[in-house]
Amino acid sequence: MTTEVLKTTALNALHRELGAKMVPFAGYDMPVQYPLGVMKEHLHVREAAGLFDVSHMGQIRLRGENIAQALEALMPQDVMGLPVDRQRYGLLTNEQGGIRDDLMFANCGDSFMLVVNAACKDQDYLWLRQNLPESISMEMLNDQGLLALQGPAARQVMARLAPETETMVFMDTRSCQIAGMDCWLSCSGYTGEDGFEISVAAADTEALARLLLAQDEVEFIGLGARDSLRLEAGLCLYGHDMDETISPISANLLWAISKVRRPGEARAGNYPGAAVIAQQLAEGTDQKRVLLDVEGRAPVREGAEIVTADGSVVGRVSSGGFGPSIARPLVMAYVANTVLSAGDALFASVRGKLLPVALRQAPFVAQRYYRG
């Protein structure tokens, strides 16, 4: 037997100092919760401001000529039309139309910044290097930490420390200094709340984290609450709700495919899997990712089957848990399109019991991004 050697972020000692429960995650030793507990951590983000260590994510800097054109050939988003100091959600697709990874990409003027998932970052880097022109330089910013400050009080906290951030709206980016530390910020996050992600030198990450934690509104938040927060907001988690076998159309992410890149538009296709995705847009897919309300309070976990009244299996739960903000279970699942179209009664099969579930059209908690 071999014991996995876990990587650590620059905040590992601080997490332990503050009593975090640490778990392996994407090859890193990460905090799943603090003494406050997952339920209270979750509610604190919804009511005030939570600080997340997301330094395990991959930060990749691209430099060179025609970066936008080269990136646009690798994903179905409008990269060429992205203004300077703006960021967009993106998908890296494969030739089968599946999702290699989801990411954020930003136009920094003289460069592009990509933030990719921790579990995928090494393979993403290699794949990008193989598929981008040699004239474009790539750097994995291993010497940078990444913090996320999320919640309705995040903006007032940031305005106190860096007044120029007060006017930033959702998906804006900018460079600034916080207490003399050079930072690059994006007005974004993965909780459904207003907030910021802050890239800072690894050497300064602990000092910045302590400064933020010293603000009355801020508490440290672990991976447990991060998961329930994103699920309440209806947001996918790579490796659970999407992967290389699932297309953006099945994943119900048509909104993420920029209009200009869709069939019949000015810059349609010309990215990996474009023909498959175009066919799915025209003909539909076998299954679709949906959100489901659950009758009762019993949790429905990932892997549970979705069935019809006669017990026929028509889907599978990709993410499931309990929503502290709504005090009831929440479910994200893939369900056969034929069943969804027919409006058949659906149930989650949990330990031999059939729990009624109902299709919902909106996230469990409304997204509150600040758009000005």
Side-chain angles (χ1 to χ4, degrees):
M1 293 182 63
T2 59
T3 302
E4 182 184 9
V5 177
L6 297 175
K7 299 176 184 176
T8 58
T9 72
L11 296 183
N12 191 269
L14 180 58
H15 295 315
R16 294 178 178 280
E17 175 188 323
L18 297 179
K21 178 182 178 183
M22 307 297 287
V23 298
F25 181 81
Y28 282 78
D29 188 35
M30 295 294 290
V32 69
Q33 67 177 75
Y34 297 86
L36 194 62
V38 173
M39 181 82 72
K40 289 182 178 178
E41 289 174 32
H42 177 114
L43 293 174
H44 188 85
V45 175
R46 292 280 184 243
E47 296 162 3
L51 181 65
F52 301 80
D53 179 11
V54 288
S55 303
H56 59 311
M57 304 284 280
Q59 300 180 67
I60 303 173
R61 176 82 72 183
L62 305 180
R63 296 185 186 275
E65 292 186 2
N66 302 319
I67 298 173
Q69 293 93 321
L71 268 180
E72 194 166 289
L74 300 180
M75 52 186 179
Q77 279 70 47
D78 177 9
V79 187
M80 293 169 61
L82 182 64
V84 174
D85 295 332
R86 290 286 291 169
Q87 178 174 258
R88 190 164 281 156
Y89 177 77
L91 302 167
L92 295 177
T93 51
N94 61 26
E95 294 295 345
Q96 294 73 44
I99 302 171
R100 288 182 174 274
D101 199 7
D102 66 333
L103 72 155
M104 305 301 292
F105 63 96
N107 183 352
C108 301
D110 63 343
S111 63
F112 267 70
M113 175 75 90
L114 313 183
V115 179
V116 302
N117 283 299
C120 303
K121 64 181 180 181
D122 292 330
Q123 64 197 49
D124 284 351
Y125 184 92
L126 290 173
W127 186 80
L128 287 165
R129 182 65 284 169
Q130 291 167 359
N131 289 277
L132 289 172
E134 291 184 7
S135 59
I136 294 176
S137 67
M138 291 180 55
E139 181 185 8
M140 182 78 81
L141 304 182
N142 293 318
D143 58 350
Q144 290 287 114
L146 191 65
L147 301 175
L149 185 69
Q150 303 280 292
R155 184 166 296 271
Q156 68 193 48
V157 170
M158 287 303 301
R160 189 183 305 144
L161 301 176
E164 62 268 44
T165 63
E166 193 168 12
T167 57
M168 292 178 69
V169 298
F170 184 55
M171 293 297 196
D172 275 354
T173 68
R174 72 178 305 153
S175 296
C176 70
Q177 282 202 335
I178 301 176
M181 292 174 275
D182 291 328
C183 299
W184 180 79
L185 284 75
S186 66
C187 186
S188 61
Y190 222 59
T191 62
E193 298 290 338
D194 184 28
F196 301 85
E197 293 196 346
I198 311 165
S199 178
V200 62
D204 291 332
T205 306
E206 183 174 329
L208 180 58
R210 288 185 183 275
L211 175 62
L212 290 166
L213 290 169
Q215 311 305 307
D216 290 342
E217 304 93 332
V218 182
E219 292 284 352
F220 238 153
I221 312 296
L223 292 172
R226 182 172 171 83
D227 191 52
S228 55
L229 287 159
R230 68 91 190 169
L231 189 48
E232 281 188 347
L235 302 172
C236 295
L237 179 63
Y238 192 82
H240 297 259
D241 310 301
M242 52 184 165
D243 58 34
E244 292 212 32
T245 69
I246 296 171
S247 78
I249 309 307
S250 287
N252 212 359
L253 294 173
L254 175 59
W255 62 265
I257 299 179
S258 304
K259 187 174 185 295
V260 73
R261 308 302 311 284
R262 298 180 193 176
E265 300 295 336
R267 300 201 307 279
N270 196 33
Y271 59 86
V276 176
I277 290 170
Q279 183 177 358
Q280 291 180 351
L281 277 169
E283 301 175 3
T285 57
D286 292 338
Q287 59 177 0
K288 186 196 294 188
R289 179 182 63 89
V290 295
L291 301 176
L292 299 171
D293 284 315
V294 183
E295 189 175 297
R297 292 177 59 86
V300 179
R301 302 297 182 190
E302 178 178 350
E305 293 177 337
I306 302 298
V307 302
T308 54
D310 65 2
S312 299
V313 178
V314 293
R316 181 188 63 83
V317 173
S318 56
S319 286
F322 185 80
S325 307
I326 59 175
R328 54 188 172 85
L330 23 85
V331 169
M332 188 177 287
Y334 279 84
V335 178
N337 262 320
T338 52
V339 175
L340 294 173
S341 301
D344 294 351
L346 296 174
F347 304 84
S349 179
V350 179
R351 292 186 296 276
K353 294 182 179 179
L354 297 186
L355 308 179
V357 297
L359 186 68
R360 60 177 296 123
Q361 301 301 322
F364 301 96
V365 171
Q367 297 171 354
R368 298 194 287 184
Y369 308 124
Y370 178 70
R371 301 181 188 272

